[in-house]
């Protein structure tokens, strides 16, 4: 492999006099930008600094390898700085490291398996070779440096018969390049020096490389998990002694880790992917020493990532059905049961497609809650999480014959999904059975206890709380009927936008439709508040890079954003729910304020809508449509810009990160 294809002379700097990590990185970022490797200096710089907070990128012998994976990277490559003044406060594996040679790796999103990423992985591995690194350090100018990049020593072929023990290792870092491969190389080298065979599986940006086979696992004596993210397929190693460390630890302590896993492991990998003999806090996995809030956030993000395809699929099915019915003037009527047996086959298909999309939506919360619980407890949390999501969707009311039942919506899904995960994990860790009865734990005992716990939690707390909120809201709106159109519009818009189709939204809708049916108060505020949040949030994912020069939403939410816009125009507000689940403290207040601003603006300008038709096909029926559209524009722009600026501010302050 020729690494000189990944850089150029102008990216090898021998004139860097900066004395801080941030300034050195910025200098290299500017070089990458000037040579067309990245599209946004600020976005990529912030990505690299966010990666710096995960683990040290300073190594030893004067080396540092900062890196970042970002949508701002146009093509993979690296820049190099040879420092005139070594930096001794760069966080490093070796606390005495004085950084004087810096590689900045630019990693694009979504290039798994590409030649470019393979080359960056090769570079990371080569830098662990002391002779190779010495040749780079000896280069006196950029020409010599580039020539030295591809001067590689020929390694002797490994003979497995010369080793008495075999250790497997899994390495994975957040970006999936530098530390992943360097940790693997460090463990392999340490193993050779100790006469122990070390086989490494890299779980990086290229997916699983050198995956451990069943034969390897059967012959192994132990396994080392050196990861900053959850290793994939950990249950494969059932019965093996293991240790769990940060991905950077092998770079300075490879021999110590080998001794530790053979003589003093953290525990034994069990079928349920937890330890059977964890000994104490000093041996607990370093990457699990995270706060409860951070752990919850990661679990919620996992749930959202699995829920998004459900929302997209459901919305598209309903969207196709409703848009297909537009030419026939049957947009809202197409879901009537009479069209299930209509003479026109097209109407029959559109009717069932609309119902099909609605059915898919019912599984949005079950999928979210199931995988939120899964992120906390692995497979043993899925069942109770899924059932908690069914409660959140209100499906239980249909079986219990309660027609006026109030589903708890996304708040219920959050509470029940997280609770299911923690309950299942607690049971999995605390219940100890004889090995002859181990199968009973994940198949019988944990599901029984965790599902019963979720039932009781929902029956006595979640449903009553949200039922009480619904009654309170209904009373508030009814008490406000005589307080003037602006106050009433404000209250209806706020309640409608609060939980996007949840119980509070539905309570506001029931009262607003009743007032309109009695010709007491029009539905203008109600219908606008339905469409403003999903369109505004979707618009934010499109405008962010133009407004602040970078992406402030991760890849999952950007996909959701496009769908959210479409769903907003056809009055399906659920497209915005992933944004609320991910950052409720930010999203909910902005949604409420945006809906109020848009609704009140339209009402003050004279827009009037008496019919419950919030989708775009109902807009021609609005009196003073220009006022209605101005209100829509005001509300959506507020939500879009407020989300962009607030998220950008939090990212710059290090209080929010973007995972791609």
């Amino acid at each position: 492999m020729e690494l000189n294809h990944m850089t150029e002379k102008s990216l090898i700097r021998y004139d860097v006099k900066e004395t801080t990590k941030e300034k050195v990185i910025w200098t290299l970022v500017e070089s990458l930008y000037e040579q067309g490797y990245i599209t946004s200096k600020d976005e990529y710089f912030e990505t690299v600094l966010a990666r710096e907070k995960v683990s040290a990128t300073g190594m030893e012998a004067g080396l540092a390898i900062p890196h970042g994976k970002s949508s701002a990277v146009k093509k993979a490559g690296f820049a190099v700085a040879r420092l005139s003044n070594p930096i001794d406060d760069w966080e490093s594996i070796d606390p005495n490291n004085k950084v004087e040679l810096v590689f900045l790796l630019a990693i694009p999103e979504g290039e798994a398996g590409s030649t470019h990423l393979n080359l960056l992985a090769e570079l990371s591995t080569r830098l662990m070779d002391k002779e190779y690194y010495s040749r780079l350090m000896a280069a006196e100018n950029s020409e010599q440096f580039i020539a030295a990049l591809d001067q590689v020593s020929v390694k002797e072929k490994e003979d497995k018969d010369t080793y008495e023990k075999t250790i497997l290792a899994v390495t994975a870092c957040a970006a999936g390049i530098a530390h992943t491969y360097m940790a693997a190389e460090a463990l392999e080298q340490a193993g050779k020096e100790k006469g122990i065979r070390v086989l490494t599986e890299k779980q990086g940006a290229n997916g699983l490389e050198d995956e451990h086979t069943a034969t390897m696992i059967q012959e192994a004596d132990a396994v080392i998990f050196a990861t900053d993210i959850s290793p994939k397929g950990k249950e494969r190693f059932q019965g093996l002694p293991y240790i769990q460390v940060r991905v950077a630890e092998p770079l300075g302590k490879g021999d110590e880790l080998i001794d530790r896993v053979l003589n003093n492991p953290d525990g034994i990998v069990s079928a349920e992917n937890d330890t059977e003999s964890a000994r104490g806090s000093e041996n607990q996995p370093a990457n699990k020493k995270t706060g409860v809030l951070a752990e919850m956030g990661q679990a919620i993000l996992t749930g959202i990532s699995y829920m998004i395809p459900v929302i997209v699929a459901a919305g598209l099915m309903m969207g196709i059905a409703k848009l297909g019915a537009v030419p026939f003037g049957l947009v809202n009527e197409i879901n009537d049961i009479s069209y299930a047996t209509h003479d026109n086959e097209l109407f029959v298909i559109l009717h069932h497609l609309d119902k099909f999309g609605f059915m898919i939506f019912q599984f949005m919360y079950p999928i979210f809650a199931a995988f939120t619980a899964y992120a906390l407890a692995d497979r043993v949390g899925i069942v109770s999480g899924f059932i908690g999501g069914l409660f959140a969707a209100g499906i239980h009311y249909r079986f219990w014959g309660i027609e006026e039942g109030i589903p708890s919506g996304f708040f219920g899904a959050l509470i029940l999904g997280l609770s299911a995960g923690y309950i299942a994990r607690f049971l999995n860790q605390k219940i100890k059975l004889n090995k002859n009865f181990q199968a009973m734990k994940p198949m019988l005992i944990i599901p029984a206890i965790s599902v019963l716990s979720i039932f009781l939690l929902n029956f006595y707390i979640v449903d009553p709380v949200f039922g009480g909120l619904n009654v309170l809201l209904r009373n508030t709106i009814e008490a406000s009927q005589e307080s003037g159109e602006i106050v009433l519009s404000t209250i209806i818009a706020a309640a409608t936008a609060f939980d996007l189709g949840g119980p509070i939204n539905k309570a506001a809708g029931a009262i607003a439709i009743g007032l309109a049916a009695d010709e007491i108060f029009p539905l203008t505020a109600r219908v606008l508040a339905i469409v403003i949040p999903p369109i505004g949030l979707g618009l934010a994912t499109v405008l962010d890079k133009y407004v602040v020069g970078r992406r402030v939403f991760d890849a999952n939410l950007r996909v959701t954003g496009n769908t959210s816009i479409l769903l907003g125009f056809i009055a399906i507000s659920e497209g915005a729910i992933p944004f609320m689940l991910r950052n409720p403290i930010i999203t909910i207040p902005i949604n409420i304020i945006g809906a109020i601003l848009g609704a009140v603006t339209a009402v003050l300008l004279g827009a009037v809508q008496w019919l419950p038709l919030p989708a775009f096909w109902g807009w021609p029926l609005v009196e003073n449509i220009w006022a209605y559209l101005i209100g829509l524009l005001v509300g959506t722009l507020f939500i879009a810009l407020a989300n962009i600026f607030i998220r950008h501010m939090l990212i710059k302050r290090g209080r929010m990160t973007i995972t791609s």
Side-chain angles (χ1 to χ4, degrees), residues 554-617:
D554 63 31
N556 282 335
L557 290 182
R558 291 200 295 274
V559 172
T560 307
N562 295 328
T563 305
S564 185
I565 294 175
L566 171 63
L567 297 184
F569 275 103
I570 60 176
I572 299 175
S573 57
E574 282 83 355
I577 285 177
F579 297 90
M580 298 178 73
L581 287 168
R582 184 70 186 96
N583 299 102
I585 296 177
I586 296 174
T587 310
I588 293 174
I590 293 176
N591 280 354
I592 292 173
I593 296 172
I596 292 173
L597 288 174
V600 170
T601 299
V603 170
L604 286 175
L605 291 176
V608 178
Q609 167 67 301
W610 286 99
L611 300 174
L613 299 174
F616 72 89
W617 50 76

Side-chain angles (χ1 to χ4, degrees), residues 198-500:
V198 177
L199 302 175
T200 58
E201 174 181 292
K202 280 76 71 174
Q203 298 184 0
N206 283 328
L208 267 64
E209 297 181 58
D210 303 319
E211 184 174 358
H212 295 315
T213 65
T215 301
M216 292 178 184
I217 296 171
Q218 186 176 6
E219 295 176 351
D221 296 286
V223 58
I224 297 172
F225 298 106
T227 66
D228 281 345
I229 58 177
S230 297
K232 299 174 183 176
K234 191 173 181 180
E235 67 279 357
R236 292 173 292 161
F237 305 94
Q238 178 185 358
L240 286 179
Y242 83 100
I243 60 172
Q244 174 81 60
V245 297
R246 298 294 293 269
V247 70
E249 287 203 40
L251 303 182
K253 302 177 181 178
D255 55 344
E256 295 179 22
L257 297 180
I258 290 173
D259 288 337
R260 180 175 148 196
V261 76
L262 290 175
N263 303 311
N264 188 30
D266 289 351
I268 306 296
V269 180
S270 71
E272 292 81 24
N273 212 10
D274 75 315
T275 65
E276 290 186 355
S277 58
R279 274 183 283 278
S281 59
E282 70 275 12
N283 285 332
Q284 292 305 306
N287 69 330
K288 289 191 178 180
K289 291 181 179 178
T290 57
V292 174
L293 290 178
E295 183 180 53
M296 286 182 177
Q298 188 61 44
I300 292 169
L301 186 60
T302 300
I304 290 172
S305 68
Y306 284 96
M307 179 183 71
I308 285 173
V310 178
I311 293 177
V312 172
L316 288 178
M317 295 305 100
M318 294 183 71
I320 292 171
K322 293 182 182 301
L323 292 175
V326 168
F328 305 100
L330 301 173
V331 177
N332 290 311
E333 293 83 355
I334 198 65
N335 63 5
D336 189 275
I337 191 63
S338 62
Y339 288 97
T341 55
H342 199 277
D343 293 337
N344 190 323
E345 185 69 15
L346 177 60
F347 292 169
V348 175
I349 291 295
L350 293 177
H351 169 80
H352 284 95
L353 193 60
D354 185 62
K355 293 294 186 182
F356 177 52
F358 178 77
M359 181 191 75
I360 296 173
F361 262 130
Q362 307 314 299
F363 292 93
M364 172 178 62
Y365 290 133
I367 293 295
F368 166 77
F371 284 99
T372 297
Y374 168 78
L376 294 170
D378 207 77
R379 289 177 297 178
V380 295
I382 290 179
V383 172
S384 55
F386 186 83
I387 291 172
L390 292 176
F391 282 137
I395 294 176
H396 57 300
Y397 289 125
R398 301 179 190 178
F399 293 95
W400 294 350
I402 302 176
E403 296 182 1
E404 301 298 324
I406 305 163
S408 53
F410 78 87
F411 279 123
L414 268 176
I415 296 167
L416 295 171
L418 291 170
S419 299
Y422 282 116
I423 291 169
R425 188 171 76 180
F426 175 81
L427 295 171
N428 199 25
Q429 291 173 345
K430 297 302 181 182
I431 296 175
K432 305 297 180 183
L433 297 176
N434 182 283
K435 63 180 181 179
N436 295 323
F437 299 98
Q438 276 292 330
M440 292 179 62
K441 186 164 74 167
M443 299 298 292
L444 174 62
I445 299 175
I446 294 177
I449 298 175
S450 60
V451 166
L452 178 60
S453 300
I454 290 302
F455 167 77
L456 295 173
L457 177 62
N458 183 74
F459 192 82
Y460 285 108
I461 298 177
V462 175
D463 274 351
V465 165
F466 287 95
L469 283 174
N470 186 68
V471 172
L472 177 63
L473 176 71
R474 182 181 294 271
N475 293 338
T476 301
I477 296 176
E478 289 177 346
S480 304
Q481 293 182 27
E482 305 299 327
S483 57
E485 64 175 7
I486 299 304
V487 173
L488 189 54
S489 295
T490 297
I491 293 173
I492 290 175
T496 300
F498 179 75
D499 57 354
L500 299 178

Side-chain angles (χ1 to χ4, degrees), residues 477 481 488 492 510-522 610:
I477 296 176
Q481 293 182 27
L488 189 54
I492 290 175
I511 294 174
I513 291 173
L515 293 174
D518 294 336
E519 298 184 355
I520 296 173
F521 192 76
W610 286 99

Side-chain angles (χ1 to χ4, degrees), residues 19-35:
T19 57
T20 66
K21 175 177 70 174
E22 290 75 15
K23 290 182 179 179
V24 170
I25 292 175
W26 179 255
T27 298
L28 294 178
V29 168
E30 287 186 316
S31 296
L32 289 167
Y33 180 77
E34 291 168 1
Q35 300 306 316

